[in-house]
Amino acid sequence: MIKKPFLRYRDLTGQPDYILAFYHYFSPLDIKAGEKVRLDHKMQVIFYSYLMERKGMLVKEGLIYYVKLKRIVRVKYTNQERRYIESVINKIRGTESGRRKERIVQPAKKCINCGFLPYCNPLRQGSLYVREI
């Protein structure tokens, strides 16, 4: 088991809570305090799996442990997930290069306690924060 490994592949970085080493493969493990299984948590673990694979590790699945639920969720990592995460990365890169503008709208209560609020610097519009990238 590796605790808090820093993963980097080219300009991509990530830091799962743990990497578990099994007999023939590795799995990222992320620990969540939430009370329900969420898609963004699954995508995060798939992204970690992608980074690990790019570093030469064989990854078959990612794991999410929900503390309040006392439950482990297994997230398969196959060619389909690899292609999906690559398409997401390419979409983000296209947005960053200015080829396409994206408008992000979040409820104010979600942004107000976010640690990235000073860096993101969205505009408050009523009960929402809005940012264009």
Side-chain angles (χ1 to χ4, degrees):
M1 177 180 354
I2 305 167
K3 185 176 181 179
K4 288 289 186 187
F6 182 77
L7 303 171
R8 168 173 270 157
Y9 173 70
R10 296 185 181 167
D11 62 335
L12 303 173
T13 62
Q15 190 169 21
D17 292 321
Y18 296 93
I19 290 179
L20 303 179
F22 295 101
Y23 187 65
H24 291 292
Y25 66 96
F26 296 89
S27 290
L29 168 65
D30 223 26
I31 299 173
K32 300 293 183 186
E35 295 181 3
K36 63 181 180 178
V37 177
R38 294 179 33 174
L39 181 61
D40 59 325
H41 295 163
K42 290 181 178 182
M43 292 298 107
Q44 185 178 6
V45 170
I46 290 172
F47 178 69
Y48 294 148
S49 299
Y50 177 78
L51 291 176
M52 290 167 59
E53 181 184 59
R54 293 297 169 203
K55 299 295 283 180
M57 298 176 173
L58 176 61
V59 180
K60 293 184 179 181
E61 66 182 359
L63 304 168
I64 307 168
Y65 179 68
Y66 288 92
V67 176
K68 290 182 181 177
L69 299 176
K70 295 182 181 174
R71 179 176 166 205
I72 291 179
V73 175
R74 296 177 184 274
V75 181
K76 290 183 182 179
Y77 183 70
T78 64
N79 286 333
Q80 183 177 351
E81 283 78 21
R82 180 183 311 104
R83 284 192 304 272
Y84 178 75
I85 206 69
E86 286 174 341
S87 73
V88 170
I89 291 167
N90 289 332
K91 186 175 181 180
I92 291 169
R93 285 186 173 140
T95 302
E96 287 177 346
S97 69
R99 286 183 265 165
R100 195 169 131 206
K101 290 281 187 187
E102 292 286 335
R103 183 179 167 114
I104 300 169
V105 179
Q106 292 289 338
K109 65 181 181 180
K110 187 171 183 179
C111 284
I112 203 72
N113 292 321
C114 177
F116 292 101
L117 183 64
Y119 307 103
C120 177
N121 201 21
L123 297 174
R124 180 126 189 204
Q125 294 179 356
S127 64
L128 302 173
Y129 275 105
V130 178
R131 178 168 186 241
E132 288 192 23
I133 55 171

